[in-house]
Amino acid sequence: MHAARLDGFLADRDAWQASQCSIAKAMDVVGTRSAMLILREAYYGTTRFDDFARRVGITEAVAAARLRELTAEGLFARRPYKKPGQRTRYEYILTEKGRDLLPAVLALMQWGDKYLQGERGGPLGLSDDATGDPVRVEVRSTEREVPLEELRLTPNFTEEQARRAMRRTDPANR
């Protein structure tokens, strides 16, 4: 079997529902192509609105909408700047919340390099600036890389809390 191990009452997949799924909540925030590419550009050093729109290849309207959403979610902070003789504008600076998404974005890049780019791999490499060593994203314990079939999921809620949540989300119980 090539799946994670579900512990306790989680093993009975019908006893609970992923109604508060963190993956679903994260996708609500960054689940568009333009949002992910804006984050990519921010990791590469882009901060200004016009540069995001140009580098991502999206319209100003889409860039404005995504930057507004990502800022409202706390991934970016707006910081004013003013060029001489021009009006005040804003640049977008990654917050800790935005920087903490880096492993997820790099994991997508790593997957795309392996499965979508052919034998040559992706156009960019990742390396440790201090050592030059290659960098990769992996699922780890403190001791080792953990493959999917050795990953264990444990509940952060009680079985009763799971039953109550299922009753609230089941249309038959409304």
Side-chain angles (χ1 to χ4, degrees), residues 38-172:
I38 284 171
L39 284 166
R40 175 198 68 193
E41 289 306 316
Y43 298 135
Y44 293 169
T46 302
T47 60
R48 302 218 170 146
F49 174 84
D50 293 340
D51 294 333
F52 281 115
R54 180 180 52 79
R55 291 191 54 80
V56 173
I58 54 179
T59 66
E60 288 187 0
V62 171
R66 289 301 88 74
L67 286 165
R68 188 172 38 257
E69 293 163 3
L70 294 169
T71 300
E73 286 291 342
L75 280 72
F76 285 101
R78 286 179 8 135
R79 184 171 64 191
Y81 72 93
K82 186 175 182 176
K83 291 182 179 178
Q86 294 188 355
R87 66 179 172 87
T88 299
R89 301 185 73 162
Y90 292 89
E91 57 185 358
Y92 296 85
I93 308 302
L94 282 165
T95 62
E96 178 181 4
K97 187 175 181 180
R99 287 188 304 275
D100 282 350
L101 262 175
L102 178 64
V105 175
L106 292 181
L108 283 172
M109 178 181 164
Q110 185 174 301
W111 182 85
D113 288 350
K114 182 175 181 178
Y115 294 106
L116 304 175
Q117 293 287 5
E119 285 186 35
R120 264 187 70 213
L124 302 175
L126 298 171
S127 61
D128 182 328
D129 191 40
T131 65
D133 293 339
V135 171
R136 66 189 236 46
V137 178
E138 58 186 28
V139 177
R140 295 191 58 81
S141 67
T142 54
E143 301 294 321
R144 65 187 184 95
E145 185 172 1
V146 180
L148 174 62
E149 55 275 4
E150 294 178 27
L151 188 64
R152 179 186 310 188
L153 282 76
T154 56
N156 284 332
F157 49 89
T158 67
E159 189 170 0
E160 178 54 31
Q161 288 170 321
R163 274 198 292 275
R164 276 186 275 157
M166 282 184 69
R167 283 193 296 270
R168 282 194 305 270
T169 59
D170 184 353

